[in-house]
Amino acid sequence: MPRKRRNATDVFSSAVDTAEAIHQRDQVAETKAQEDRGRRSLLALKQIRKRETDTRPLRPNHVEELAESIAALGLIEPLVIDNQNVLLAGAHRLAAITHLKEQRPEQFAEHFADDLVPVRIMPFDAGADPEKALQVELAENEKRVNYSRDQIEKLATRLRELNYKETRGRPKKGEKALGPALAVAIGVSTRYVRKVLGEEKAEPAKKNRNSVPIFRRRQLLKKMESTLEELNTLKQVSKGREANQELDALVPELLKQVRTSLSELES
Amino acid sequence: MVYKIAVSGRKGGVGKTTVACGLASVFASQGQRVLVVDLDPQSNTAYVLGTDPTAAGTAQLLLGQSPIPVEALEKLHVLPGGPDLTSYGVQSSDPEDLADAVEALDYDVILFDCPPGVEYLERLGWVAADTTLVCTNAHPLAVMGAGRVINELDARQQKGRRGARRYALVLSMIDLRRSMDQALDAQLASAYPQTKRLVVRQDTTLAWASAERVPVMEYDPKCKGAEDLQKIAEWVKDA
Protein backbone atom coordinates (compact mmCIF):
# COMPACT_ATOMS: atom_id res chain seq x y z
CA MET A 1 0.00 0.00 0.00
CA PRO A 2 1.48 3.42 -1.01
CA ARG A 3 2.66 5.70 1.75
CA LYS A 4 0.35 8.55 2.57
CA ARG A 5 1.78 11.88 1.40
CA ARG A 6 2.14 14.99 3.51
CA ASN A 7 0.29 18.11 2.58
CA ALA A 8 2.10 19.93 -0.30
CA THR A 9 1.94 23.25 1.56
CA ASP A 10 3.86 21.78 4.48
CA VAL A 11 6.72 20.56 2.31
CA PHE A 12 7.14 24.05 0.93
CA SER A 13 7.00 25.82 4.26
CA SER A 14 9.82 23.74 5.68
CA ALA A 15 11.86 24.62 2.57
CA VAL A 16 11.21 28.33 3.17
CA ASP A 17 12.21 27.98 6.81
CA THR A 18 15.44 26.28 5.78
CA ALA A 19 16.16 29.05 3.28
CA GLU A 20 15.77 31.46 6.20
CA ALA A 21 18.19 29.47 8.32
CA ILE A 22 20.79 29.13 5.55
CA HIS A 23 20.54 32.85 4.93
CA GLN A 24 22.44 33.51 8.16
CA ARG A 25 25.23 31.30 6.90
CA ASP A 26 25.10 32.98 3.48
CA GLN A 27 25.70 36.31 5.16
CA VAL A 28 28.63 34.98 7.17
CA ALA A 29 30.08 33.40 4.05
CA GLU A 30 29.78 36.65 2.13
CA THR A 31 31.54 38.59 4.87
CA LYS A 32 34.28 35.99 4.95
CA ALA A 33 34.60 36.09 1.17
CA GLN A 34 35.16 39.83 1.40
CA GLU A 35 37.81 39.37 4.06
CA ASP A 36 39.48 36.78 1.87
CA ARG A 37 39.60 39.31 -0.91
CA GLY A 38 41.86 41.28 1.42
CA ARG A 39 44.30 38.41 1.50
CA ARG A 40 44.60 38.14 -2.24
CA SER A 41 48.04 38.38 -3.64
CA LEU A 42 47.06 39.16 -7.21
CA LEU A 43 44.98 42.02 -8.47
CA ALA A 44 43.91 43.06 -11.98
CA LEU A 45 46.04 45.95 -13.22
CA LYS A 46 43.02 48.11 -13.98
CA GLN A 47 41.79 47.77 -10.40
CA ILE A 48 44.88 49.34 -8.91
CA ARG A 49 44.09 52.96 -8.28
CA LYS A 50 46.72 55.68 -8.32
CA ARG A 51 47.21 57.95 -5.36
CA GLU A 52 45.57 61.31 -5.73
CA THR A 53 48.71 63.05 -4.53
CA ASP A 54 52.00 61.62 -5.61
CA THR A 55 54.68 62.42 -3.10
CA ARG A 56 57.41 62.43 -5.70
CA PRO A 57 57.34 62.85 -9.43
CA LEU A 58 58.09 59.85 -11.63
CA ARG A 59 61.42 59.72 -13.40
CA PRO A 60 60.73 58.56 -16.97
CA ASN A 61 64.21 57.03 -17.34
CA HIS A 62 63.75 54.98 -14.23
CA VAL A 63 60.34 53.81 -15.45
CA GLU A 64 61.84 52.61 -18.72
CA GLU A 65 64.67 50.83 -16.99
CA LEU A 66 62.28 49.14 -14.61
CA ALA A 67 60.08 48.14 -17.53
CA GLU A 68 63.13 46.49 -19.08
CA SER A 69 63.90 44.54 -15.95
CA ILE A 70 60.27 43.57 -15.41
CA ALA A 71 60.14 42.36 -19.01
CA ALA A 72 63.09 40.11 -18.18
CA LEU A 73 62.03 38.85 -14.78
CA GLY A 74 58.50 39.82 -13.97
CA LEU A 75 57.66 41.78 -10.86
CA ILE A 76 59.67 40.49 -7.93
CA GLU A 77 58.47 42.83 -5.20
CA PRO A 78 54.67 43.10 -5.10
CA LEU A 79 53.08 46.52 -5.30
CA VAL A 80 51.72 47.70 -1.96
CA ILE A 81 48.11 48.86 -1.92
CA ASP A 82 45.56 49.72 0.74
CA ASN A 83 42.24 47.96 1.25
CA GLN A 84 40.64 50.29 -1.30
CA ASN A 85 43.13 49.19 -3.99
CA VAL A 86 44.92 52.54 -3.80
CA LEU A 87 48.64 52.33 -4.47
CA LEU A 88 50.83 53.00 -1.43
CA ALA A 89 54.27 52.06 -2.71
CA GLY A 90 55.57 51.15 -6.15
CA ALA A 91 54.54 54.07 -8.34
CA HIS A 92 57.54 53.54 -10.61
CA ARG A 93 56.90 49.83 -10.85
CA LEU A 94 53.22 50.41 -11.62
CA ALA A 95 54.16 52.93 -14.32
CA ALA A 96 56.71 50.45 -15.68
CA ILE A 97 54.12 47.66 -15.81
CA THR A 98 51.67 49.94 -17.60
CA HIS A 99 54.46 51.00 -19.97
CA LEU A 100 55.27 47.35 -20.64
CA LYS A 101 51.63 46.53 -21.33
CA GLU A 102 51.43 49.32 -23.88
CA GLN A 103 54.81 48.89 -25.53
CA ARG A 104 55.48 45.16 -25.34
CA PRO A 105 52.12 43.42 -24.79
CA GLU A 106 53.50 39.93 -25.43
CA GLN A 107 56.12 40.18 -22.71
CA PHE A 108 53.54 41.75 -20.46
CA ALA A 109 51.19 38.80 -20.99
CA GLU A 110 54.02 36.38 -20.29
CA HIS A 111 54.53 37.76 -16.79
CA PHE A 112 51.03 39.00 -15.96
CA ALA A 113 48.55 36.37 -17.12
CA ASP A 114 44.99 37.70 -17.19
CA ASP A 115 46.38 41.17 -16.35
CA LEU A 116 46.96 40.08 -12.75
CA VAL A 117 49.70 41.89 -10.87
CA PRO A 118 51.28 40.71 -7.57
CA VAL A 119 50.17 42.95 -4.73
CA ARG A 120 50.45 43.17 -0.98
CA ILE A 121 47.25 44.55 0.51
CA MET A 122 47.68 46.59 3.71
CA PRO A 123 44.67 46.40 6.04
CA PHE A 124 43.80 50.10 6.16
CA ASP A 125 42.33 52.87 4.04
CA ALA A 126 44.92 55.44 2.96
CA GLY A 127 42.21 58.09 2.64
CA ALA A 128 41.29 57.67 6.30
CA ASP A 129 44.85 57.23 7.51
CA PRO A 130 47.21 59.25 5.31
CA GLU A 131 50.02 59.19 7.86
CA LYS A 132 50.16 55.43 7.86
CA ALA A 133 50.10 55.50 4.06
CA LEU A 134 53.13 57.78 4.04
CA GLN A 135 54.94 55.55 6.50
CA VAL A 136 54.40 52.55 4.25
CA GLU A 137 55.65 54.46 1.25
CA LEU A 138 58.80 55.62 3.04
CA ALA A 139 59.48 52.26 4.63
CA GLU A 140 59.18 50.60 1.26
CA ASN A 141 61.54 53.09 -0.34
CA GLU A 142 64.00 52.95 2.54
CA LYS A 143 64.43 49.26 1.97
CA ARG A 144 66.66 50.04 -0.94
CA VAL A 145 69.37 51.35 1.44
CA ASN A 146 72.38 51.75 -0.71
CA TYR A 147 74.05 48.49 -1.41
CA SER A 148 77.80 48.94 -1.38
CA ARG A 149 79.70 48.23 -4.58
CA ASP A 150 81.17 45.16 -2.93
CA GLN A 151 77.71 43.85 -2.11
CA ILE A 152 76.52 44.48 -5.65
CA GLU A 153 79.52 42.63 -7.04
CA LYS A 154 78.93 39.69 -4.74
CA LEU A 155 75.29 39.53 -5.83
CA ALA A 156 76.42 39.68 -9.46
CA THR A 157 78.77 36.75 -8.92
CA ARG A 158 75.96 34.70 -7.46
CA LEU A 159 73.68 35.54 -10.35
CA ARG A 160 76.38 34.64 -12.89
CA GLU A 161 76.59 31.24 -11.24
CA LEU A 162 72.88 30.94 -11.95
CA ASN A 163 73.49 31.55 -15.65
CA TYR A 164 72.68 35.23 -15.74
CA LYS A 165 74.61 36.96 -18.49
CA GLU A 166 75.77 40.51 -18.91
CA THR A 167 74.36 41.37 -22.27
CA ARG A 168 73.43 44.67 -23.78
CA GLY A 169 69.89 44.83 -25.12
CA ARG A 170 67.47 41.98 -24.86
CA PRO A 171 68.83 38.63 -23.77
CA LYS A 172 68.73 35.74 -26.24
CA LYS A 173 66.34 32.88 -25.68
CA GLY A 174 67.28 30.87 -22.59
CA GLU A 175 69.62 33.58 -21.37
CA LYS A 176 68.77 35.70 -18.39
CA ALA A 177 69.85 39.31 -18.15
CA LEU A 178 72.07 40.04 -15.17
CA GLY A 179 71.82 43.83 -15.03
CA PRO A 180 68.02 44.12 -14.90
CA ALA A 181 67.74 41.21 -12.46
CA LEU A 182 70.14 42.82 -10.06
CA ALA A 183 68.57 46.23 -10.50
CA VAL A 184 65.15 44.90 -9.57
CA ALA A 185 66.49 42.90 -6.66
CA ILE A 186 68.16 45.83 -4.97
CA GLY A 187 65.85 48.56 -6.19
CA VAL A 188 68.25 50.64 -8.23
CA SER A 189 68.39 51.43 -11.93
CA THR A 190 69.85 49.02 -14.44
CA ARG A 191 72.21 51.76 -15.54
CA TYR A 192 73.61 52.09 -12.04
CA VAL A 193 74.21 48.34 -11.82
CA ARG A 194 75.95 48.35 -15.16
CA LYS A 195 78.11 51.25 -14.05
CA VAL A 196 79.20 49.44 -10.90
CA LEU A 197 79.83 46.14 -12.70
CA GLY A 198 81.58 47.92 -15.58
CA GLU A 199 84.08 49.47 -13.13
CA GLU A 200 84.60 46.13 -11.52
CA LYS A 201 85.67 44.72 -14.85
CA ALA A 202 87.71 47.76 -15.83
CA GLU A 203 89.93 47.70 -12.74
CA PRO A 204 92.02 44.58 -13.38
CA ALA A 205 92.56 45.79 -16.94
CA LYS A 206 93.99 49.06 -15.62
CA LYS A 207 96.37 47.19 -13.33
CA ASN A 208 97.50 44.97 -16.17
CA ARG A 209 98.28 47.80 -18.51
CA ASN A 210 100.69 49.26 -15.94
CA SER A 211 102.08 46.11 -14.47
CA VAL A 212 102.65 43.86 -17.48
CA PRO A 213 105.88 45.51 -18.78
CA ILE A 214 107.43 45.51 -15.32
CA PHE A 215 106.49 41.93 -14.80
CA ARG A 216 107.85 40.97 -18.20
CA ARG A 217 111.08 42.85 -17.50
CA ARG A 218 111.55 40.92 -14.28
CA GLN A 219 110.95 37.69 -16.13
CA LEU A 220 113.60 38.63 -18.71
CA LEU A 221 116.10 39.77 -16.08
CA LYS A 222 115.65 36.53 -14.21
CA LYS A 223 116.24 34.62 -17.42
CA MET A 224 119.38 36.70 -18.01
CA GLU A 225 120.55 36.00 -14.45
CA SER A 226 120.26 32.24 -14.87
CA THR A 227 121.78 32.35 -18.36
CA LEU A 228 124.77 34.37 -17.12
CA GLU A 229 125.22 32.03 -14.14
CA GLU A 230 125.32 29.10 -16.55
CA LEU A 231 127.69 30.88 -18.90
CA ASN A 232 129.98 31.50 -15.91
CA THR A 233 130.27 27.75 -15.26
CA LEU A 234 131.03 27.06 -18.94
CA LYS A 235 134.04 29.46 -19.09
CA GLN A 236 136.74 26.77 -19.32
CA VAL A 237 135.11 25.12 -22.31
CA SER A 238 135.30 28.08 -24.60
CA LYS A 239 139.13 28.55 -24.57
CA GLY A 240 140.89 29.63 -27.78
CA ARG A 241 138.02 31.76 -29.10
CA GLU A 242 138.70 35.45 -28.61
CA ALA A 243 135.27 36.97 -28.85
CA ASN A 244 133.91 34.44 -26.42
CA GLN A 245 136.79 34.97 -24.00
CA GLU A 246 136.04 38.71 -24.02
CA LEU A 247 132.37 38.01 -23.30
CA ASP A 248 133.28 35.65 -20.48
CA ALA A 249 135.33 38.46 -18.95
CA LEU A 250 132.20 40.62 -18.98
CA VAL A 251 129.89 38.01 -17.40
CA PRO A 252 130.63 38.73 -13.71
CA GLU A 253 130.06 42.43 -14.28
CA LEU A 254 126.85 41.80 -16.27
CA LEU A 255 125.60 39.40 -13.62
CA LYS A 256 126.13 42.00 -10.98
CA GLN A 257 124.24 44.62 -13.04
CA VAL A 258 121.31 42.27 -13.69
CA ARG A 259 121.04 41.37 -10.00
CA THR A 260 121.10 45.03 -9.00
CA SER A 261 118.32 45.83 -11.51
CA LEU A 262 116.27 42.93 -10.27
CA SER A 263 116.52 43.92 -6.65
CA GLU A 264 115.58 47.47 -7.66
CA LEU A 265 112.40 46.20 -9.31
CA GLU A 266 111.52 44.02 -6.36
CA SER A 267 111.84 46.71 -3.72
CA MET B 1 16.72 53.25 -21.10
CA VAL B 2 18.61 50.01 -20.97
CA TYR B 3 16.90 47.07 -19.24
CA LYS B 4 19.36 44.99 -17.26
CA ILE B 5 17.88 41.76 -16.02
CA ALA B 6 19.53 39.06 -13.91
CA VAL B 7 17.97 35.59 -14.09
CA SER B 8 18.90 33.79 -10.91
CA GLY B 9 17.72 31.00 -8.63
CA ARG B 10 20.63 29.18 -6.96
CA LYS B 11 19.19 25.71 -7.64
CA GLY B 12 20.10 24.03 -10.90
CA GLY B 13 17.51 22.92 -13.44
CA VAL B 14 14.79 25.39 -12.50
CA GLY B 15 14.66 27.09 -15.90
CA LYS B 16 17.11 29.98 -15.51
CA THR B 17 18.69 29.55 -18.92
CA THR B 18 15.35 28.83 -20.59
CA VAL B 19 13.85 32.00 -19.09
CA ALA B 20 16.93 34.12 -19.91
CA CYS B 21 17.14 32.94 -23.50
CA GLY B 22 13.34 33.03 -23.91
CA LEU B 23 13.16 36.65 -22.70
CA ALA B 24 16.11 37.52 -24.94
CA SER B 25 14.20 36.09 -27.89
CA VAL B 26 11.04 38.00 -26.93
CA PHE B 27 12.86 41.34 -26.63
CA ALA B 28 14.76 40.74 -29.90
CA SER B 29 11.50 39.90 -31.68
CA GLN B 30 10.20 43.28 -30.50
CA GLY B 31 13.09 44.99 -32.27
CA GLN B 32 15.31 45.60 -29.25
CA ARG B 33 19.03 44.95 -29.45
CA VAL B 34 19.62 42.23 -26.85
CA LEU B 35 22.73 40.79 -25.21
CA VAL B 36 22.73 37.68 -23.03
CA VAL B 37 25.69 37.52 -20.63
CA ASP B 38 26.23 33.92 -19.51
CA LEU B 39 27.73 33.66 -16.02
CA ASP B 40 27.66 29.88 -15.95
CA PRO B 41 30.90 27.87 -16.29
CA GLN B 42 28.76 25.22 -18.02
CA SER B 43 28.26 27.67 -20.89
CA ASN B 44 24.77 26.51 -21.89
CA THR B 45 23.36 29.85 -23.00
CA ALA B 46 25.29 30.18 -26.25
CA TYR B 47 24.50 26.57 -27.06
CA VAL B 48 20.77 27.01 -26.52
CA LEU B 49 20.77 30.05 -28.80
CA GLY B 50 22.51 28.12 -31.57
CA THR B 51 25.94 29.75 -31.25
CA ASP B 52 29.43 28.66 -30.20
CA PRO B 53 29.56 28.10 -26.43
CA THR B 54 33.38 27.94 -26.51
CA ALA B 55 33.91 31.44 -27.91
CA ALA B 56 35.49 34.16 -25.76
CA GLY B 57 32.85 35.73 -23.55
CA THR B 58 31.99 36.85 -20.05
CA ALA B 59 35.28 35.77 -18.44
CA GLN B 60 37.25 37.82 -20.94
CA LEU B 61 34.97 40.80 -20.39
CA LEU B 62 35.59 40.57 -16.64
CA LEU B 63 39.33 40.36 -17.23
CA GLY B 64 39.23 43.71 -18.98
CA GLN B 65 39.44 42.45 -22.54
CA SER B 66 36.87 43.28 -25.19
CA PRO B 67 35.35 40.03 -26.42
CA ILE B 68 33.04 40.41 -29.40
CA PRO B 69 29.62 38.94 -28.54
CA VAL B 70 28.58 36.07 -30.80
CA GLU B 71 25.53 36.64 -32.96
CA ALA B 72 22.53 34.34 -32.64
CA LEU B 73 20.27 36.69 -34.57
CA GLU B 74 20.90 40.15 -35.94
CA LYS B 75 19.54 41.69 -32.74
CA LEU B 76 20.36 38.88 -30.32
CA HIS B 77 23.94 38.52 -29.18
CA VAL B 78 25.60 36.34 -26.55
CA LEU B 79 28.69 36.52 -24.37
CA PRO B 80 29.26 32.81 -23.65
CA GLY B 81 30.17 31.51 -20.21
CA GLY B 82 32.68 28.71 -19.77
CA PRO B 83 35.32 27.27 -17.47
CA ASP B 84 37.37 30.49 -17.60
CA LEU B 85 34.78 31.90 -15.19
CA THR B 86 36.31 29.77 -12.44
CA SER B 87 39.78 31.30 -12.96
CA TYR B 88 41.53 33.24 -10.23
CA GLY B 89 41.23 36.49 -12.16
CA VAL B 90 37.45 36.24 -12.32
CA GLN B 91 37.08 34.94 -8.77
CA SER B 92 39.02 37.87 -7.42
CA SER B 93 37.13 40.43 -9.46
CA ASP B 94 35.17 43.06 -7.61
CA PRO B 95 31.39 42.44 -7.30
CA GLU B 96 30.87 45.68 -9.26
CA ASP B 97 33.19 44.78 -12.15
CA LEU B 98 30.52 43.32 -14.40
CA ALA B 99 28.24 46.28 -13.72
CA ASP B 100 31.05 48.61 -14.78
CA ALA B 101 32.05 46.51 -17.79
CA VAL B 102 28.57 46.42 -19.35
CA GLU B 103 28.16 50.19 -19.03
CA ALA B 104 30.24 50.53 -22.17
CA LEU B 105 28.18 48.06 -24.22
CA ASP B 106 25.56 49.37 -26.60
CA TYR B 107 22.37 47.31 -26.18
CA ASP B 108 18.73 47.99 -25.29
CA VAL B 109 18.39 44.89 -23.11
CA ILE B 110 21.11 43.01 -21.25
CA LEU B 111 20.24 39.69 -19.59
CA PHE B 112 22.54 38.01 -17.07
CA ASP B 113 22.09 34.26 -16.96
CA CYS B 114 23.33 33.40 -13.46
CA PRO B 115 24.81 30.00 -12.66
CA PRO B 116 23.45 27.58 -10.09
CA GLY B 117 25.41 27.47 -6.86
CA VAL B 118 28.39 29.69 -7.67
CA GLU B 119 27.67 32.70 -5.50
CA TYR B 120 30.45 35.05 -6.56
CA LEU B 121 29.33 34.75 -10.19
CA GLU B 122 25.66 35.05 -9.29
CA ARG B 123 26.44 38.20 -7.30
CA LEU B 124 28.11 39.80 -10.33
CA GLY B 125 24.77 39.42 -12.12
CA TRP B 126 22.67 40.86 -9.28
CA VAL B 127 24.92 43.88 -8.94
CA ALA B 128 24.95 44.58 -12.68
CA ALA B 129 21.17 44.26 -13.06
CA ASP B 130 18.35 46.62 -12.19
CA THR B 131 15.77 43.80 -12.24
CA THR B 132 16.27 40.28 -10.94
CA LEU B 133 14.07 37.32 -11.79
CA VAL B 134 14.33 34.51 -9.25
CA CYS B 135 13.37 31.17 -10.78
CA THR B 136 11.86 28.26 -8.93
CA ASN B 137 9.87 25.26 -9.99
CA ALA B 138 7.37 23.44 -7.79
CA HIS B 139 9.85 21.56 -5.65
CA PRO B 140 10.95 22.35 -2.09
CA LEU B 141 14.65 22.29 -3.04
CA ALA B 142 14.09 24.92 -5.70
CA VAL B 143 12.03 26.99 -3.25
CA MET B 144 14.88 26.76 -0.78
CA GLY B 145 17.32 28.09 -3.39
CA ALA B 146 14.97 30.86 -4.46
CA GLY B 147 14.39 31.74 -0.80
CA ARG B 148 18.09 32.21 -0.23
CA VAL B 149 18.35 34.50 -3.23
CA ILE B 150 15.35 36.58 -2.10
CA ASN B 151 16.83 36.88 1.40
CA GLU B 152 20.16 38.01 0.00
CA LEU B 153 18.57 40.51 -2.35
CA ASP B 154 16.57 41.90 0.60
CA ALA B 155 19.71 42.15 2.72
CA ARG B 156 21.61 43.91 -0.06
CA GLN B 157 18.80 46.36 -0.53
CA GLN B 158 18.65 47.12 3.20
CA LYS B 159 22.37 47.81 3.23
CA GLY B 160 21.96 50.11 0.25
CA ARG B 161 24.29 48.10 -1.95
CA ARG B 162 24.46 48.61 -5.69
CA GLY B 163 22.25 46.25 -7.72
CA ALA B 164 18.74 45.20 -8.59
CA ARG B 165 16.09 47.37 -6.97
CA ARG B 166 13.24 45.31 -8.32
CA TYR B 167 12.79 41.59 -8.34
CA ALA B 168 10.16 38.95 -8.94
CA LEU B 169 9.75 35.23 -8.53
CA VAL B 170 9.34 33.24 -11.73
CA LEU B 171 7.44 30.02 -11.08
CA SER B 172 8.62 27.78 -13.87
CA MET B 173 7.41 24.50 -15.40
CA ILE B 174 4.04 24.96 -13.74
CA ASP B 175 1.36 22.34 -14.36
CA LEU B 176 -1.64 22.99 -12.16
CA ARG B 177 -2.83 19.41 -12.40
CA ARG B 178 -0.09 18.54 -9.90
CA SER B 179 -0.70 19.16 -6.20
CA MET B 180 2.77 20.60 -5.49
CA ASP B 181 2.33 23.07 -8.34
CA GLN B 182 -1.05 24.08 -6.91
CA ALA B 183 0.42 24.69 -3.48
CA LEU B 184 3.50 26.58 -4.72
CA ASP B 185 1.93 29.93 -5.53
CA ALA B 186 0.02 30.16 -2.26
CA GLN B 187 3.07 29.21 -0.27
CA LEU B 188 5.31 31.80 -1.95
CA ALA B 189 2.57 34.39 -1.56
CA SER B 190 2.53 33.86 2.18
CA ALA B 191 6.33 33.59 2.59
CA TYR B 192 7.22 36.55 0.33
CA PRO B 193 4.10 38.72 0.28
CA GLN B 194 5.94 41.77 -1.14
CA THR B 195 7.37 39.90 -4.11
CA LYS B 196 5.71 39.78 -7.50
CA ARG B 197 5.11 36.26 -8.80
CA LEU B 198 5.24 35.45 -12.50
CA VAL B 199 4.49 32.08 -14.11
CA VAL B 200 5.89 30.06 -16.98
CA ARG B 201 3.73 27.04 -17.58
CA GLN B 202 5.12 23.61 -18.30
CA ASP B 203 5.68 23.53 -22.07
CA THR B 204 7.70 20.93 -23.94
CA THR B 205 8.04 23.39 -26.83
CA LEU B 206 10.49 25.36 -24.68
CA ALA B 207 12.54 22.24 -24.11
CA TRP B 208 12.48 21.42 -27.81
CA ALA B 209 13.49 24.95 -28.81
CA SER B 210 16.52 24.66 -26.47
CA ALA B 211 17.37 21.20 -27.70
CA GLU B 212 17.14 22.26 -31.35
CA ARG B 213 19.08 25.43 -30.48
CA VAL B 214 16.56 27.90 -31.91
CA PRO B 215 15.39 31.04 -30.03
CA VAL B 216 11.84 30.36 -28.93
CA MET B 217 10.21 33.24 -30.85
CA GLU B 218 11.75 31.81 -34.03
CA TYR B 219 10.79 28.27 -33.06
CA ASP B 220 7.15 28.77 -32.13
CA PRO B 221 6.05 32.27 -31.09
CA LYS B 222 2.55 31.05 -30.31
CA CYS B 223 3.42 28.33 -27.79
CA LYS B 224 2.32 28.60 -24.15
CA GLY B 225 5.86 29.23 -22.97
CA ALA B 226 6.34 32.10 -25.43
CA GLU B 227 3.06 33.65 -24.24
CA ASP B 228 4.20 33.50 -20.61
CA LEU B 229 7.62 34.89 -21.41
CA GLN B 230 6.04 37.83 -23.21
CA LYS B 231 4.06 38.62 -20.06
CA ILE B 232 7.28 38.60 -18.06
CA ALA B 233 8.86 40.96 -20.61
CA GLU B 234 5.88 43.28 -20.15
CA TRP B 235 6.38 43.26 -16.37
CA VAL B 236 10.06 44.10 -16.80
CA LYS B 237 9.26 47.03 -19.11
CA ASP B 238 6.50 48.18 -16.78
CA ALA B 239 9.08 49.42 -14.24
Side-chain angles (χ1 to χ4, degrees), chain B residues 63-121:
Chain B
L63 294 171
Q65 299 155 27
S66 308
I68 297 163
V70 290
E71 198 176 303
L73 299 168
E74 191 201 333
K75 288 185 185 282
L76 174 46
H77 298 178
V78 190
L79 281 173
D84 291 350
L85 285 168
T86 62
S87 70
Y88 186 92
V90 173
Q91 279 188 45
S92 62
S93 60
D94 190 275
E96 299 192 3
D97 277 359
L98 184 60
D100 293 340
V102 298
E103 294 267 308
L105 303 178
D106 184 25
Y107 287 93
D108 302 319
V109 179
I110 302 178
L111 285 138
F112 304 96
D113 188 6
C114 295
V118 196
E119 276 132 84
Y120 71 88
L121 292 170

Side-chain angles (χ1 to χ4, degrees), chain B residues 175-197:
Chain B
D175 180 345
L176 288 174
R177 290 170 301 181
R178 300 186 292 222
S179 61
M180 278 216 216
D181 296 52
Q182 292 161 14
L184 179 68
D185 189 64
Q187 179 58 39
L188 292 176
S190 82
Y192 309 107
Q194 309 298 320
T195 308
K196 171 76 179 171
R197 296 177 311 285

Side-chain angles (χ1 to χ4, degrees), chain B residues 23-39:
Chain B
L23 279 178
S25 177
V26 168
F27 282 118
S29 73
Q30 295 171 350
Q32 315 255 42
R33 291 164 305 146
V34 184
L35 175 70
V36 190
V37 177
D38 188 4
L39 284 162

Side-chain angles (χ1 to χ4, degrees), chain A residues 163-213:
Chain A
N163 202 26
Y164 282 84
K165 296 265 157 50
E166 283 151 293
T167 44
R168 285 262 162 203
R170 283 185 219 172
K172 294 188 196 93
K173 230 182 176 164
E175 263 184 1
K176 293 175 278 189
L178 176 76
L182 199 49
V184 172
I186 62 180
V188 297
S189 74
T190 312
R191 200 200 305 162
Y192 178 71
V193 168
R194 284 194 175 131
K195 208 173 114 196
V196 171
L197 296 181
E199 279 178 12
E200 180 207 21
K201 262 202 305 192
E203 265 174 55
K206 224 198 264 171
K207 230 185 223 168
N208 281 351
R209 208 175 301 135
N210 292 335
S211 58
V212 160

